[in-house]
């Protein structure tokens, strides 16, 4: 894997838009595997649909890549996902997470696994459900 491949992926996420998502096949291999807390798919078209759906669900989504660690054919990115959502109230929301990526010989991603805490980063921010999630967390900590 080259530094160029990592830079291409980082650039894709940091400049993500409906237009760049149309060209996702420049970043992901045709048979790429993708998993996050809500999805597990194989293939560039299902991955494209996940990112298209993101633009339907939230306003002004963007990623800020905080750190990149790369070795061999793998890279690990930590990121902040920022967006606005009428469901979560006023102001910009943030989800902090990380992605483990593996690259094929052609420099495109063929494995993408996201790691982030759905309860802390999303559910706790939803009215009523957030209070319930925090109560469960406190009870489990005893």
């Amino acid at each position: 894997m080259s530094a160029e491949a990592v830079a291409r992926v980082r650039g894709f996420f940091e400049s993500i838009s409906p237009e760049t998502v149309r060209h996702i096949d420049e970043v992901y291999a045709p048979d790429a595997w993708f998993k996050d807390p809500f999805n597990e798919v194989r293939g560039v078209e299902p991955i494209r649909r996940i990112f298209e759906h993101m633009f339907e669900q939230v306003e002004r989504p963007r990623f800020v890549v905080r750190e990149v660690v790369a070795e061999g054919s793998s890279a690990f990115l930590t990121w902040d996902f920022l967006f606005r959502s009428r469901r979560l109230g006023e102001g910009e929301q943030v989800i902090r997470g990380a992605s483990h990526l593996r690259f094929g010989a052609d420099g495109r991603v063929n494995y993408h696994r996201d790691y982030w805490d759905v309860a802390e980063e999303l559910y706790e921010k939803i009215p009523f459900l957030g209070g319930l999630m925090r109560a469960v967390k406190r009870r489990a900590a005893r």
Side-chain angles (χ1 to χ4, degrees), residues 64-89:
V64 177
V65 176
R66 298 292 180 190
E67 187 173 3
V68 177
V69 178
E71 184 175 321
S73 63
S74 294
F76 190 79
L77 287 64
T78 60
W79 42 260
D80 292 347
F81 174 58
L82 301 120
F83 63 96
R84 292 186 178 275
S85 170
R86 286 184 287 291
R87 293 181 198 156
L88 299 178

Side-chain angles (χ1 to χ4, degrees), residues 72-138:
S73 63
S74 294
F76 190 79
L77 287 64
T78 60
W79 42 260
D80 292 347
F81 174 58
L82 301 120
F83 63 96
R84 292 186 178 275
S85 170
R86 286 184 287 291
R87 293 181 198 156
L88 299 178
E90 297 293 321
E92 191 168 61
Q93 304 294 318
V94 63
I95 293 174
R96 291 175 180 84
S99 298
H100 178 203
L101 307 173
R102 292 186 191 136
F103 296 83
D106 65 358
R108 291 187 291 177
V109 174
N110 58 24
Y111 172 97
H112 178 151
R113 174 121 192 220
D114 281 347
Y115 297 94
W116 54 279
D117 185 340
V118 175
E120 179 180 350
E121 300 291 347
L122 186 60
Y123 295 155
E124 286 184 11
K125 297 174 183 176
I126 298 172
F128 178 72
L129 184 57
L132 180 63
M133 294 300 294
R134 287 186 294 277
V136 168
K137 190 188 268 188
R138 281 191 303 273

Side-chain angles (χ1 to χ4, degrees), residues 11-27 48 51 54-55:
F12 171 77
F13 283 108
E14 289 187 330
S15 66
I16 199 162
S17 70
E19 177 60 30
T20 60
V21 169
R22 288 187 198 107
H23 303 286
I24 200 168
D25 57 333
E26 296 172 9
V27 178
R48 182 189 329 265
F51 286 106
M54 172 186 74
F55 284 99

